[in-house]
Structures are given as C-alpha cells and as structure tokens.
Amino acid sequence: MEMLSPQHLFLEYLSKNKMVATEQRRVVLEVFLEMVGHYSSEELYMKVRERDSTISSATVYRTIKLLVESRIAEPMDFGDGVVRFECCGRKQHHDHLVCIQCGKKVDVVDKDIEELQRVMGARHGFSLKRHKMILFGICSDCRKP
C-alpha cells in the first residue's frame, strides 16, 4: 500500500471537510514539514513569518489545529506549559525522555518497550492503535556536581 504524502493527506482532509486549500495554509504546512524536532505554535509562527510576513498568528494557530486533526502533526506536552508539535510519520515511532531541570528532550526507540506496551494492552483486552510515552527525570548534565 502506497503511503500518501503529508501534502496529499492535508488536501484530502480539507476537501472532505469542505475547506479551502489556501496559499497561506500551504505555506504553513511547508514550513512545518521543513522543521525537525518539537516546535510550539509560536516557534512555527516565527518561521512562517520569515517566509511570508502577511500570514497572521491566528492563521498559523488555526492551521496547526487542522494539521493535528488530519494526523500530520502530533501535539506533545512535555510538562512545561507549552504544547509542542512534531510531524507524524517522519520517522519511526519513538518515546521521549525529558529533563525536568534543563528541558532537554531525547527521542527514544526501543523495540522491547514497544512489545511490552503491546502485551500490556492485549492483557487488558486492548488492540493498541497509537500511544505516547514521556518519561520525566534529570539528565546526566544536570546531575553533575
């Protein structure tokens, strides 16, 4: 089965919901897809403004909501009061480690943890479709005397 591009998924989502694929939405999507890592709406807005200064913050915020609804963007809450977003499907599923002192974030891929989560879901009668795991602690740099 062929994977659809994020652009195609977004166009399909907009069409299905009777929304217009405006040039401003296209720019926000392009900038979002170029960014790597976890970014707040405000950080995305600043990058979008570099590309097109006529795009308002409200347009960026509404478009990121559409990106989440169309499963192109995934919101992440790292416990610091700021919701950040990352691109779904850009890389394999991963979990996160977050330092509660400096805010450092580490993406973690571990097949054993994934299998344990699948087994735990099955044990409770669930067929897991997706999940998020964020572990909070203190990184080695912050623990140094």
Side-chain angles (χ1 to χ4, degrees):
M1 188 166 108
E2 184 181 333
M3 283 286 292
L4 298 177
S5 71
Q7 293 87 341
H8 189 89
L9 289 172
F10 193 54
L11 289 174
E12 275 190 354
Y13 178 82
L14 292 175
S15 175
K16 183 176 115 182
N17 290 282
K18 298 178 179 27
M19 292 185 245
V20 178
T22 65
E23 177 64 15
Q24 290 183 328
R25 286 176 175 159
R26 186 189 61 74
V27 169
V28 174
L29 173 62
E30 284 179 3
V31 171
F32 175 75
L33 293 174
E34 291 168 2
M35 298 173 78
V36 177
H38 312 96
Y39 291 92
S40 68
S41 296
E42 183 63 28
E43 291 166 326
L44 176 60
Y45 170 63
M46 298 308 288
K47 287 288 191 184
V48 167
R49 294 274 303 173
E50 292 173 12
R51 176 89 49 93
D52 183 341
S53 63
T54 66
I55 298 177
S56 70
S57 60
T59 296
V60 171
Y61 298 142
R62 283 192 303 266
T63 304
I64 195 74
K65 182 178 183 289
L66 295 174
L67 294 175
V68 170
E69 290 170 0
S70 62
R71 297 192 184 229
I72 293 168
E74 181 174 11
M76 305 299 296
D77 181 352
F78 293 119
D80 60 359
V82 177
V83 176
R84 291 178 178 79
F85 301 88
E86 68 179 348
C87 185
C88 299
R90 177 170 288 146
K91 55 185 177 178
Q92 73 186 92
H93 171 78
H94 58 276
D95 297 305
H96 299 89
L97 298 172
V98 178
C99 179
I100 58 176
Q101 287 189 354
C102 70
K104 177 181 178 178
K105 294 159 196 67
V106 177
D107 292 349
V108 178
V109 176
D110 187 303
K111 65 179 176 53
D112 294 332
I113 289 174
E114 296 304 311
E115 177 61 16
L116 182 58
Q117 290 168 337
R118 187 194 64 72
V119 168
M120 182 175 47
R123 184 179 303 145
H124 294 279
F126 282 77
S127 172
L128 299 180
K129 302 301 180 197
R130 59 189 172 96
H131 72 274
K132 290 185 211 180
M133 186 170 80
I134 303 172
L135 302 172
F136 297 91
I138 301 173
C139 72
S140 59
D141 290 339
C142 290
R143 286 195 324 270
K144 290 180 183 171

